[in-house]
Amino acid sequence: MAGGVDRSATGVGEHVTRRPRGRPAGSKNKPKPPIIITRDSANTLRAHAMEISPGCDVGESLATFARRKQRGICVLSAAGCVTNVTLRQPSPSSTTGPIVTLHGHFEILSLIGSVLPPPAPPGVTGLDIYLAGPQGQVVGGAVSGPLIASGPVIIMAATFMNATFDRLPIDKDEAAAVTTVAHNQHLISVSDVYGIPPNLLSNTTPPSAGIYTWAAARPLSKT
């Protein structure tokens, strides 16, 4: 047939294959790569197992670590022996109890407290300890002087940054000021203070009036 296609010449019974519509089966179920955050948040707690060598002051060693690392320390527990212990024991008749110095070897039963790097509000840092003496007696109080390790002392602690100091209860005027600042300040300022990526911030209240941030109050180095 002129100007046309002779379908009989193409072969009778030849099947024409058609591609199925849509995407191939299973194309929508491909596993997505995991989201990995390579930058740690400044407010992340870090667990530490600290070993203090014999002859070293436990409190001074913790204070040096906090100052050099610029991280606060929350002491959870401790194990080991100490000597030459200076404690302030509680007194029901006064706010400050008597200070006593104990000589000899004592086993640590409990050690808790916090150590913050400077500048820190007074009265926030401190360690409380309970000890067992050689005769089985138990003594305790606030550490007010040297706490010398007579053997290896292992301390389990958590470190943190950007601790805030709040005075409670908050009065109405101060609460209103905090709310106003929280609504007016942009999230990017919180990212600058805390070191958190802006896309990870949601409903975050930044430090404001009545809140002391020791990390933000570090003295600037002179250029």
Side-chain angles (χ1 to χ4, degrees):
M1 182 178 179
V5 178
D6 188 0
R7 296 184 180 274
S8 60
T10 61
V12 180
E14 182 179 354
H15 298 281
V16 179
T17 57
R18 296 182 179 180
R19 297 180 59 184
R21 296 182 179 180
R23 295 184 178 180
S27 61
K28 296 182 179 180
N29 300 325
K30 291 183 179 179
K32 297 181 180 180
I35 300 176
I36 301 176
I37 301 176
T38 58
R39 180 181 179 183
D40 293 337
S41 172
N43 292 337
T44 301
L45 289 175
R46 296 181 180 177
H48 293 263
M50 304 177 179
E51 180 180 354
I52 298 178
S53 302
C56 298
D57 190 339
V58 175
E60 184 179 352
S61 299
L62 293 175
T64 302
F65 180 90
R67 183 178 65 254
R68 291 183 179 180
K69 300 293 184 179
Q70 280 299 300
R71 296 184 67 89
I73 304 175
C74 179
V75 179
L76 305 176
S77 64
C81 295
V82 292
T83 185
N84 296 337
V85 183
T86 302
L87 303 176
R88 185 180 72 249
Q89 295 183 328
S91 176
S93 59
S94 61
T95 56
T96 58
I99 296 178
V100 297
T101 300
L102 307 176
H103 299 280
H105 295 276
F106 299 88
E107 182 180 357
I108 299 176
L109 299 178
S110 173
L111 179 64
I112 58 174
S114 60
V115 180
L116 301 181
V124 174
T125 63
L127 298 173
D128 294 329
I129 193 171
Y130 282 90
L131 304 168
Q135 303 299 327
Q137 69 274 26
V138 177
V139 294
V143 179
S144 300
L147 186 64
I148 307 301
S150 59
V153 174
I154 306 300
I155 294 178
M156 294 301 301
T159 64
F160 54 89
M161 295 181 64
N162 300 328
T164 59
F165 178 72
D166 303 317
R167 291 184 174 87
L168 303 178
I170 301 178
D171 55 22
K172 295 180 179 180
D173 296 338
E174 187 174 350
V178 171
T179 304
T180 302
V181 173
H183 282 287
N184 293 338
Q185 187 166 359
H186 198 270
L187 289 178
I188 192 63
S189 62
V190 184
S191 176
D192 294 337
V193 174
Y194 287 93
I196 306 175
N199 59 338
L200 297 182
L201 293 173
S202 61
N203 299 328
T204 303
T205 302
S208 54
I211 302 179
Y212 181 92
T213 306
W214 57 261
R218 301 174 190 169
L220 298 178
S221 60
K222 296 183 179 180
T223 57

